[in-house]
Amino acid sequence: MNAAARLKEIQDKVNESLQYSIDNLAALMDEESERLFDIRTRREAVRKEHEEVLAAAEKAEGEYRRARQTLLSAARSGDEAWEKEAYERAMNLMKIRGAFEEREKLLAAQAGELDREERRTERILRRTREMGNRFRVVLNLLNTSLDEEDPSSAFGLNGCGIGIRLAERESASLARDLHDGPIQKFSAAGLMIDLAAEYLSRGDFERAKTELARTRSHISDAMDEFRSFLFQLNPTGLKDGFE
Protein backbone atom coordinates (compact mmCIF):
# COMPACT_ATOMS: atom_id res chain seq x y z
CA MET A 1 0.00 0.00 0.00
CA ASN A 2 1.50 3.34 -1.06
CA ALA A 3 1.62 6.41 1.15
CA ALA A 4 -1.39 8.11 -0.47
CA ALA A 5 -3.61 5.05 0.01
CA ARG A 6 -2.43 4.63 3.58
CA LEU A 7 -3.09 8.31 4.25
CA LYS A 8 -6.61 7.96 2.78
CA GLU A 9 -7.28 4.95 5.01
CA ILE A 10 -6.19 6.91 8.08
CA GLN A 11 -8.37 9.81 6.99
CA ASP A 12 -11.43 7.57 6.67
CA LYS A 13 -10.92 6.07 10.13
CA VAL A 14 -10.41 9.47 11.76
CA ASN A 15 -13.45 10.84 9.92
CA GLU A 16 -15.56 7.94 11.15
CA SER A 17 -14.40 8.45 14.73
CA LEU A 18 -14.98 12.20 14.65
CA GLN A 19 -18.40 11.85 13.04
CA TYR A 20 -19.39 9.26 15.65
CA SER A 21 -18.38 11.70 18.40
CA ILE A 22 -20.27 14.56 16.75
CA ASP A 23 -23.42 12.43 16.42
CA ASN A 24 -23.22 11.39 20.09
CA LEU A 25 -22.75 14.99 21.16
CA ALA A 26 -25.75 16.02 19.05
CA ALA A 27 -27.86 13.34 20.75
CA LEU A 28 -26.65 14.53 24.15
CA MET A 29 -27.52 18.12 23.25
CA ASP A 30 -31.03 17.06 22.25
CA GLU A 31 -31.50 15.26 25.56
CA GLU A 32 -30.17 18.19 27.58
CA SER A 33 -32.26 20.67 25.57
CA GLU A 34 -35.40 18.65 26.36
CA ARG A 35 -34.33 18.49 29.99
CA LEU A 36 -33.77 22.25 30.06
CA PHE A 37 -37.24 22.83 28.58
CA ASP A 38 -38.75 20.55 31.25
CA ILE A 39 -36.86 22.38 34.01
CA ARG A 40 -38.04 25.77 32.79
CA THR A 41 -41.62 24.52 32.48
CA ARG A 42 -41.58 23.17 36.03
CA ARG A 43 -39.92 26.32 37.34
CA GLU A 44 -42.60 28.48 35.71
CA ALA A 45 -45.31 26.34 37.31
CA VAL A 46 -43.60 26.58 40.71
CA ARG A 47 -43.17 30.34 40.30
CA LYS A 48 -46.86 30.77 39.52
CA GLU A 49 -47.94 28.64 42.47
CA HIS A 50 -45.48 30.48 44.72
CA GLU A 51 -47.08 33.81 43.79
CA GLU A 52 -50.54 32.40 44.48
CA VAL A 53 -49.47 31.02 47.85
CA LEU A 54 -47.87 34.33 48.82
CA ALA A 55 -51.10 36.17 47.97
CA ALA A 56 -53.15 33.63 49.94
CA ALA A 57 -50.75 33.81 52.90
CA GLU A 58 -50.99 37.60 52.94
CA LYS A 59 -54.78 37.39 52.91
CA ALA A 60 -54.73 34.79 55.71
CA GLU A 61 -52.42 37.01 57.75
CA GLY A 62 -54.84 39.92 57.44
CA GLU A 63 -57.81 37.78 58.46
CA TYR A 64 -55.83 36.38 61.40
CA ARG A 65 -55.01 39.86 62.68
CA ARG A 66 -58.67 40.88 62.45
CA ALA A 67 -59.66 37.66 64.24
CA ARG A 68 -57.26 38.52 67.09
CA GLN A 69 -58.80 41.95 67.41
CA THR A 70 -62.25 40.34 67.51
CA LEU A 71 -61.01 37.91 70.16
CA LEU A 72 -59.70 40.79 72.25
CA SER A 73 -63.04 42.58 72.00
CA ALA A 74 -64.90 39.38 72.93
CA ALA A 75 -62.67 38.81 75.95
CA ARG A 76 -63.31 42.35 77.18
CA SER A 77 -67.08 42.01 76.68
CA GLY A 78 -67.37 39.08 79.08
CA ASP A 79 -69.49 37.17 76.57
CA GLU A 80 -68.10 33.64 76.92
CA ALA A 81 -69.91 32.24 73.88
CA TRP A 82 -68.61 35.05 71.67
CA GLU A 83 -65.13 34.70 73.16
CA LYS A 84 -65.11 30.94 72.50
CA GLU A 85 -66.25 31.42 68.91
CA ALA A 86 -63.66 34.17 68.33
CA TYR A 87 -60.92 32.03 69.87
CA GLU A 88 -61.72 29.03 67.66
CA ARG A 89 -61.76 31.21 64.56
CA ALA A 90 -58.43 32.82 65.46
CA MET A 91 -56.83 29.41 66.09
CA ASN A 92 -58.15 28.06 62.80
CA LEU A 93 -56.82 31.06 60.88
CA MET A 94 -53.47 30.70 62.64
CA LYS A 95 -53.23 27.09 61.41
CA ILE A 96 -54.18 28.14 57.89
CA ARG A 97 -51.58 30.90 57.95
CA GLY A 98 -48.96 28.43 59.16
CA ALA A 99 -49.83 25.96 56.39
CA PHE A 100 -49.42 28.69 53.77
CA GLU A 101 -46.07 29.71 55.26
CA GLU A 102 -44.80 26.12 55.15
CA ARG A 103 -45.97 25.74 51.55
CA GLU A 104 -44.31 29.02 50.60
CA LYS A 105 -41.00 27.85 52.08
CA LEU A 106 -41.24 24.53 50.22
CA LEU A 107 -41.99 26.25 46.90
CA ALA A 108 -39.14 28.72 47.43
CA ALA A 109 -36.76 25.79 48.01
CA GLN A 110 -38.06 24.02 44.89
CA ALA A 111 -37.61 27.17 42.81
CA GLY A 112 -34.05 27.56 44.09
CA GLU A 113 -33.21 23.95 43.23
CA LEU A 114 -34.71 24.34 39.74
CA ASP A 115 -32.65 27.51 39.22
CA ARG A 116 -29.48 25.61 40.14
CA GLU A 117 -30.48 22.69 37.93
CA GLU A 118 -31.12 25.07 35.04
CA ARG A 119 -27.66 26.63 35.41
CA ARG A 120 -26.02 23.19 35.52
CA THR A 121 -27.87 22.09 32.40
CA GLU A 122 -26.98 25.30 30.59
CA ARG A 123 -23.30 24.73 31.41
CA ILE A 124 -23.50 21.19 30.06
CA LEU A 125 -25.11 22.46 26.86
CA ARG A 126 -22.47 25.16 26.40
CA ARG A 127 -19.63 22.69 26.90
CA THR A 128 -21.25 20.14 24.62
CA ARG A 129 -21.71 22.75 21.88
CA GLU A 130 -18.09 23.87 22.29
CA MET A 131 -16.80 20.31 22.01
CA GLY A 132 -19.01 19.60 19.00
CA ASN A 133 -17.87 22.79 17.28
CA ARG A 134 -14.23 21.89 17.82
CA PHE A 135 -14.79 18.43 16.39
CA ARG A 136 -16.47 19.99 13.35
CA VAL A 137 -13.59 22.41 12.79
CA VAL A 138 -11.05 19.58 13.03
CA LEU A 139 -13.12 17.34 10.75
CA ASN A 140 -13.49 20.03 8.08
CA LEU A 141 -9.87 21.07 8.33
CA LEU A 142 -8.69 17.47 8.12
CA ASN A 143 -10.80 16.76 5.04
CA THR A 144 -9.75 20.00 3.37
CA SER A 145 -6.10 19.33 4.09
CA LEU A 146 -6.11 15.78 2.81
CA ASP A 147 -8.10 16.76 -0.30
CA GLU A 148 -5.23 18.97 -1.42
CA GLU A 149 -3.19 17.67 -4.34
CA ASP A 150 -0.09 18.03 -2.20
CA PRO A 151 -0.99 17.08 1.38
CA SER A 152 2.47 18.03 2.59
CA SER A 153 1.71 21.66 1.74
CA ALA A 154 -1.61 21.71 3.53
CA PHE A 155 -0.34 23.78 6.42
CA GLY A 156 2.23 25.67 4.41
CA LEU A 157 1.83 27.77 1.27
CA ASN A 158 -1.72 26.56 0.68
CA GLY A 159 -2.91 27.58 4.14
CA CYS A 160 -4.85 30.54 2.77
CA GLY A 161 -6.71 28.32 0.28
CA ILE A 162 -7.55 25.87 3.04
CA GLY A 163 -8.87 28.68 5.19
CA ILE A 164 -11.14 29.84 2.35
CA ARG A 165 -12.44 26.32 1.73
CA LEU A 166 -13.03 25.80 5.43
CA ALA A 167 -14.87 29.12 5.69
CA GLU A 168 -17.05 28.20 2.69
CA ARG A 169 -17.96 24.84 4.23
CA GLU A 170 -18.77 26.40 7.60
CA SER A 171 -20.84 29.16 5.97
CA ALA A 172 -22.89 26.62 4.02
CA SER A 173 -23.35 24.50 7.15
CA LEU A 174 -24.40 27.48 9.26
CA ALA A 175 -26.86 28.68 6.63
CA ARG A 176 -28.45 25.24 6.48
CA ASP A 177 -28.59 24.92 10.26
CA LEU A 178 -30.06 28.41 10.65
CA HIS A 179 -32.79 27.64 8.16
CA ASP A 180 -33.64 24.25 9.66
CA GLY A 181 -33.36 25.44 13.27
CA PRO A 182 -34.16 28.90 14.71
CA ILE A 183 -35.67 30.34 11.54
CA GLN A 184 -38.23 27.53 11.48
CA LYS A 185 -38.92 28.10 15.18
CA PHE A 186 -39.45 31.85 14.67
CA SER A 187 -41.78 31.08 11.77
CA ALA A 188 -43.77 28.72 13.99
CA ALA A 189 -43.82 31.35 16.75
CA GLY A 190 -45.40 33.82 14.31
CA LEU A 191 -48.19 31.35 13.55
CA MET A 192 -48.70 30.73 17.28
CA ILE A 193 -49.04 34.47 17.92
CA ASP A 194 -51.68 34.69 15.15
CA LEU A 195 -53.54 31.77 16.76
CA ALA A 196 -53.33 33.40 20.20
CA ALA A 197 -54.75 36.62 18.73
CA GLU A 198 -57.63 34.61 17.28
CA TYR A 199 -58.34 33.06 20.70
CA LEU A 200 -58.25 36.52 22.31
CA SER A 201 -60.72 37.86 19.79
CA ARG A 202 -63.08 35.04 20.80
CA GLY A 203 -62.59 35.73 24.49
CA ASP A 204 -60.89 32.34 25.04
CA PHE A 205 -58.19 33.68 27.36
CA GLU A 206 -57.02 30.32 28.72
CA ARG A 207 -56.21 28.91 25.28
CA ALA A 208 -54.61 32.22 24.29
CA LYS A 209 -52.46 32.06 27.42
CA THR A 210 -51.42 28.48 26.63
CA GLU A 211 -50.54 29.42 23.05
CA LEU A 212 -48.47 32.40 24.19
CA ALA A 213 -46.60 30.14 26.64
CA ARG A 214 -45.77 27.80 23.74
CA THR A 215 -44.65 30.81 21.71
CA ARG A 216 -42.35 31.94 24.49
CA SER A 217 -40.83 28.45 24.69
CA HIS A 218 -40.22 28.37 20.91
CA ILE A 219 -38.56 31.79 20.96
CA SER A 220 -36.40 30.79 23.94
CA ASP A 221 -35.23 27.65 22.11
CA ALA A 222 -34.50 29.68 18.98
CA MET A 223 -32.44 32.19 20.99
CA ASP A 224 -30.42 29.34 22.53
CA GLU A 225 -29.68 28.04 19.03
CA PHE A 226 -28.69 31.51 17.85
CA ARG A 227 -26.24 31.77 20.75
CA SER A 228 -24.76 28.45 19.65
CA PHE A 229 -24.38 29.72 16.08
CA LEU A 230 -22.71 32.90 17.31
CA PHE A 231 -20.25 30.76 19.22
CA GLN A 232 -19.57 28.69 16.08
CA LEU A 233 -18.62 31.87 14.22
CA ASN A 234 -15.79 32.40 16.69
CA PRO A 235 -15.30 29.21 18.74
CA THR A 236 -12.98 29.14 21.73
CA GLY A 237 -9.46 28.10 20.75
CA LEU A 238 -9.83 29.01 17.06
CA LYS A 239 -6.83 31.29 17.25
CA ASP A 240 -4.72 28.35 18.44
CA GLY A 241 -5.02 26.69 15.02
CA PHE A 242 -5.15 22.99 14.21
CA GLU A 243 -2.73 21.97 16.94
Side-chain angles (χ1 to χ4, degrees):
M1 183 181 295
N2 57 35
R6 180 57 179 163
L7 191 60
K8 184 64 170 63
E9 180 182 353
I10 294 173
Q11 178 191 16
D12 291 341
K13 290 182 178 178
V14 173
N15 283 347
E16 182 180 356
S17 178
L18 285 172
Q19 191 59 56
Y20 176 79
S21 298
I22 291 172
D23 291 342
N24 277 308
L25 287 171
L28 177 60
M29 284 180 61
D30 287 341
E31 292 175 3
E32 291 301 314
S33 294
E34 291 178 2
R35 183 164 177 264
L36 184 60
F37 175 77
D38 179 64
I39 291 170
R40 288 172 174 171
T41 301
R42 285 188 287 138
R43 187 188 61 182
E44 182 64 21
V46 169
R47 183 195 64 78
K48 182 178 179 180
E49 185 179 356
H50 187 244
E51 290 178 352
E52 293 173 351
V53 169
L54 281 175
E58 184 177 353
K59 182 179 178 181
E61 175 67 21
E63 292 181 356
Y64 173 67
R65 290 179 180 176
R66 287 191 292 272
R68 289 185 61 183
Q69 290 296 325
T70 301
L71 176 60
L72 181 60
S73 298
R76 289 173 177 173
S77 71
D79 187 333
E80 293 183 0
W82 183 24
E83 182 179 357
K84 181 180 178 182
E85 180 183 350
Y87 175 80
E88 290 177 351
R89 175 171 172 74
M91 290 301 99
N92 185 49
L93 287 170
M94 184 176 68
K95 292 177 182 178
I96 293 174
R97 184 192 63 173
F100 279 132
E101 289 177 349
E102 288 299 317
R103 184 60 180 167
E104 187 275 329
K105 290 178 183 177
L106 177 61
L107 290 171
Q110 288 179 356
E113 179 58 33
L114 286 170
D115 284 340
R116 290 188 289 273
E117 193 173 354
E118 180 185 29
R119 289 193 293 270
R120 286 194 297 268
T121 305
E122 287 175 339
R123 286 196 297 270
I124 292 173
L125 276 171
R126 283 196 299 270
R127 292 170 181 172
T128 304
R129 288 192 184 102
E130 179 179 348
M131 189 177 298
N133 291 335
R134 290 192 178 202
F135 279 152
R136 284 181 56 190
V137 170
V138 172
L139 183 62
N140 286 334
L141 185 55
L142 179 65
N143 289 333
T144 304
S145 301
L146 295 181
D147 285 343
E148 294 292 324
E149 293 182 1
D150 182 8
S152 64
S153 66
F155 299 99
L157 295 176
N158 293 332
C160 180
I162 292 173
I164 293 174
R165 289 191 183 184
L166 183 57
E168 289 175 346
R169 289 187 182 185
E170 285 299 299
S171 294
S173 176
L174 284 172
R176 182 175 60 255
D177 291 344
L178 279 170
H179 178 270
D180 295 340
I183 290 178
Q184 292 290 346
K185 284 187 171 64
F186 278 125
S187 178
L191 295 175
M192 291 176 184
I193 290 173
D194 291 340
L195 184 56
E198 178 65 22
Y199 288 145
L200 286 173
S201 68
R202 298 177 188 173
D204 193 343
F205 300 114
E206 284 301 318
R207 295 181 72 178
K209 183 178 179 181
T210 300
E211 204 63 34
L212 288 174
R214 290 180 58 204
T215 304
R216 179 182 179 183
S217 174
H218 264 64
I219 293 176
S220 177
D221 289 344
M223 291 302 298
D224 287 340
E225 291 186 21
F226 267 125
R227 293 188 186 97
S228 175
F229 291 132
L230 288 174
F231 174 81
Q232 291 181 46
L233 293 175
N234 186 27
T236 303
L238 185 63
K239 63 181 182 296
D240 298 331
F242 183 65
E243 293 182 357

mmCIF file of all heavy atoms in Angstrom, residues 163-182:
data_model
loop_
_atom_site.group_PDB
_atom_site.id
_atom_site.type_symbol
_atom_site.label_atom_id
_atom_site.label_comp_id
_atom_site.label_asym_id
_atom_site.label_seq_id
_atom_site.Cartn_x
_atom_site.Cartn_y
_atom_site.Cartn_z
ATOM 1 N N GLY A 163 -8.024 27.838 4.357
ATOM 2 C CA GLY A 163 -8.874 28.682 5.189
ATOM 3 C C GLY A 163 -10.130 29.108 4.450
ATOM 4 O O GLY A 163 -11.224 29.123 5.017
ATOM 5 N N ILE A 164 -9.983 29.438 3.139
ATOM 6 C CA ILE A 164 -11.144 29.842 2.350
ATOM 7 C C ILE A 164 -12.110 28.686 2.191
ATOM 8 O O ILE A 164 -13.319 28.834 2.342
ATOM 9 C CB ILE A 164 -10.691 30.371 0.967
ATOM 10 C CG1 ILE A 164 -9.906 31.679 1.142
ATOM 11 C CG2 ILE A 164 -11.893 30.578 0.055
ATOM 12 C CD1 ILE A 164 -9.295 32.191 -0.134
ATOM 13 N N ARG A 165 -11.562 27.494 1.883
ATOM 14 C CA ARG A 165 -12.437 26.318 1.730
ATOM 15 C C ARG A 165 -13.162 26.002 3.036
ATOM 16 O O ARG A 165 -14.356 25.688 3.030
ATOM 17 C CB ARG A 165 -11.606 25.105 1.309
ATOM 18 C CG ARG A 165 -11.085 25.173 -0.110
ATOM 19 C CD ARG A 165 -10.514 23.844 -0.507
ATOM 20 N NE ARG A 165 -9.951 23.880 -1.831
ATOM 21 C CZ ARG A 165 -9.455 22.813 -2.461
ATOM 22 N NH1 ARG A 165 -9.479 21.639 -1.846
ATOM 23 N NH2 ARG A 165 -8.949 22.901 -3.668
ATOM 24 N N LEU A 166 -12.429 26.086 4.135
ATOM 25 C CA LEU A 166 -13.033 25.801 5.429
ATOM 26 C C LEU A 166 -14.136 26.809 5.743
ATOM 27 O O LEU A 166 -15.212 26.447 6.235
ATOM 28 C CB LEU A 166 -11.965 25.823 6.533
ATOM 29 C CG LEU A 166 -12.412 25.483 7.948
ATOM 30 C CD1 LEU A 166 -13.050 24.105 7.985
ATOM 31 C CD2 LEU A 166 -11.243 25.568 8.909
ATOM 32 N N ALA A 167 -13.862 28.080 5.451
ATOM 33 C CA ALA A 167 -14.871 29.122 5.693
ATOM 34 C C ALA A 167 -16.114 28.889 4.838
ATOM 35 O O ALA A 167 -17.243 29.076 5.293
ATOM 36 C CB ALA A 167 -14.276 30.499 5.391
ATOM 37 N N GLU A 168 -15.906 28.468 3.572
ATOM 38 C CA GLU A 168 -17.048 28.199 2.694
ATOM 39 C C GLU A 168 -17.888 27.052 3.230
ATOM 40 O O GLU A 168 -19.118 27.109 3.233
ATOM 41 C CB GLU A 168 -16.546 27.874 1.283
ATOM 42 C CG GLU A 168 -15.974 29.078 0.541
ATOM 43 C CD GLU A 168 -15.385 28.690 -0.800
ATOM 44 O OE1 GLU A 168 -15.187 27.472 -1.025
ATOM 45 O OE2 GLU A 168 -15.129 29.582 -1.618
ATOM 46 N N ARG A 169 -17.220 25.995 3.685
ATOM 47 C CA ARG A 169 -17.957 24.843 4.233
ATOM 48 C C ARG A 169 -18.739 25.235 5.482
ATOM 49 O O ARG A 169 -19.907 24.863 5.650
ATOM 50 C CB ARG A 169 -16.980 23.712 4.570
ATOM 51 C CG ARG A 169 -16.378 23.032 3.357
ATOM 52 C CD ARG A 169 -15.568 21.833 3.784
ATOM 53 N NE ARG A 169 -14.940 21.189 2.645
ATOM 54 C CZ ARG A 169 -14.248 20.047 2.723
ATOM 55 N NH1 ARG A 169 -14.120 19.449 3.887
ATOM 56 N NH2 ARG A 169 -13.702 19.511 1.653
ATOM 57 N N GLU A 170 -18.105 25.991 6.366
ATOM 58 C CA GLU A 170 -18.771 26.399 7.601
ATOM 59 C C GLU A 170 -19.932 27.335 7.308
ATOM 60 O O GLU A 170 -20.977 27.274 7.940
ATOM 61 C CB GLU A 170 -17.771 27.075 8.546
ATOM 62 C CG GLU A 170 -16.832 26.107 9.234
ATOM 63 C CD GLU A 170 -17.590 25.104 10.092
ATOM 64 O OE1 GLU A 170 -18.290 25.519 11.031
ATOM 65 O OE2 GLU A 170 -17.503 23.902 9.797
ATOM 66 N N SER A 171 -19.759 28.230 6.316
ATOM 67 C CA SER A 171 -20.839 29.160 5.970
ATOM 68 C C SER A 171 -22.055 28.398 5.442
ATOM 69 O O SER A 171 -23.197 28.686 5.822
ATOM 70 C CB SER A 171 -20.357 30.160 4.918
ATOM 71 O OG SER A 171 -19.351 30.996 5.455
ATOM 72 N N ALA A 172 -21.791 27.419 4.559
ATOM 73 C CA ALA A 172 -22.895 26.618 4.020
ATOM 74 C C ALA A 172 -23.585 25.832 5.129
ATOM 75 O O ALA A 172 -24.817 25.729 5.174
ATOM 76 C CB ALA A 172 -22.372 25.675 2.941
ATOM 77 N N SER A 173 -22.787 25.285 6.049
ATOM 78 C CA SER A 173 -23.346 24.504 7.150
ATOM 79 C C SER A 173 -24.179 25.380 8.078
ATOM 80 O O SER A 173 -25.282 25.003 8.485
ATOM 81 C CB SER A 173 -22.214 23.833 7.939
ATOM 82 O OG SER A 173 -22.716 23.139 9.060
ATOM 83 N N LEU A 174 -23.669 26.568 8.387
ATOM 84 C CA LEU A 174 -24.403 27.481 9.259
ATOM 85 C C LEU A 174 -25.704 27.945 8.615
ATOM 86 O O LEU A 174 -26.737 28.039 9.279
ATOM 87 C CB LEU A 174 -23.527 28.688 9.612
ATOM 88 C CG LEU A 174 -22.427 28.450 10.642
ATOM 89 C CD1 LEU A 174 -21.530 29.682 10.744
ATOM 90 C CD2 LEU A 174 -23.029 28.144 12.006
ATOM 91 N N ALA A 175 -25.647 28.244 7.326
ATOM 92 C CA ALA A 175 -26.859 28.682 6.626
ATOM 93 C C ALA A 175 -27.924 27.594 6.667
ATOM 94 O O ALA A 175 -29.104 27.865 6.899
ATOM 95 C CB ALA A 175 -26.521 29.042 5.177
ATOM 96 N N ARG A 176 -27.497 26.355 6.450
ATOM 97 C CA ARG A 176 -28.447 25.242 6.475
ATOM 98 C C ARG A 176 -29.024 25.046 7.881
ATOM 99 O O ARG A 176 -30.233 24.873 8.067
ATOM 100 C CB ARG A 176 -27.750 23.966 6.016
ATOM 101 C CG ARG A 176 -28.665 22.748 5.963
ATOM 102 C CD ARG A 176 -27.947 21.541 5.395
ATOM 103 N NE ARG A 176 -26.780 21.175 6.186
ATOM 104 C CZ ARG A 176 -25.522 21.402 5.831
ATOM 105 N NH1 ARG A 176 -25.254 21.988 4.679
ATOM 106 N NH2 ARG A 176 -24.517 21.045 6.613
ATOM 107 N N ASP A 177 -28.135 25.111 8.888
ATOM 108 C CA ASP A 177 -28.587 24.921 10.262
ATOM 109 C C ASP A 177 -29.507 26.047 10.719
ATOM 110 O O ASP A 177 -30.468 25.821 11.469
ATOM 111 C CB ASP A 177 -27.380 24.811 11.209
ATOM 112 C CG ASP A 177 -26.597 23.530 10.994
ATOM 113 O OD1 ASP A 177 -27.142 22.609 10.356
ATOM 114 O OD2 ASP A 177 -25.447 23.450 11.458
ATOM 115 N N LEU A 178 -29.200 27.277 10.293
ATOM 116 C CA LEU A 178 -30.057 28.415 10.652
ATOM 117 C C LEU A 178 -31.455 28.251 10.057
ATOM 118 O O LEU A 178 -32.460 28.508 10.722
ATOM 119 C CB LEU A 178 -29.433 29.722 10.157
ATOM 120 C CG LEU A 178 -28.332 30.334 11.016
ATOM 121 C CD1 LEU A 178 -27.657 31.476 10.269
ATOM 122 C CD2 LEU A 178 -28.893 30.839 12.334
ATOM 123 N N HIS A 179 -31.492 27.802 8.810
ATOM 124 C CA HIS A 179 -32.794 27.639 8.155
ATOM 125 C C HIS A 179 -33.593 26.518 8.800
ATOM 126 O O HIS A 179 -34.807 26.657 9.040
ATOM 127 C CB HIS A 179 -32.604 27.349 6.671
ATOM 128 C CG HIS A 179 -33.892 27.121 5.936
ATOM 129 N ND1 HIS A 179 -34.457 25.867 5.801
ATOM 130 C CD2 HIS A 179 -34.742 27.988 5.321
ATOM 131 C CE1 HIS A 179 -35.596 25.964 5.127
ATOM 132 N NE2 HIS A 179 -35.788 27.240 4.822
ATOM 133 N N ASP A 180 -32.935 25.403 9.106
ATOM 134 C CA ASP A 180 -33.641 24.245 9.662
ATOM 135 C C ASP A 180 -33.925 24.384 11.154
ATOM 136 O O ASP A 180 -34.756 23.658 11.689
ATOM 137 C CB ASP A 180 -32.816 22.968 9.441
ATOM 138 C CG ASP A 180 -32.674 22.632 7.957
ATOM 139 O OD1 ASP A 180 -33.484 23.137 7.166
ATOM 140 O OD2 ASP A 180 -31.742 21.877 7.614
ATOM 141 N N GLY A 181 -33.212 25.303 11.826
ATOM 142 C CA GLY A 181 -33.358 25.438 13.273
ATOM 143 C C GLY A 181 -34.151 26.660 13.697
ATOM 144 O O GLY A 181 -35.387 26.670 13.645
ATOM 145 N N PRO A 182 -33.461 27.736 14.133
ATOM 146 C CA PRO A 182 -34.160 28.898 14.706
ATOM 147 C C PRO A 182 -35.107 29.607 13.748
ATOM 148 O O PRO A 182 -36.138 30.118 14.174
ATOM 149 C CB PRO A 182 -33.012 29.818 15.148
ATOM 150 C CG PRO A 182 -31.820 29.360 14.400
ATOM 151 C CD PRO A 182 -31.997 27.886 14.202
#
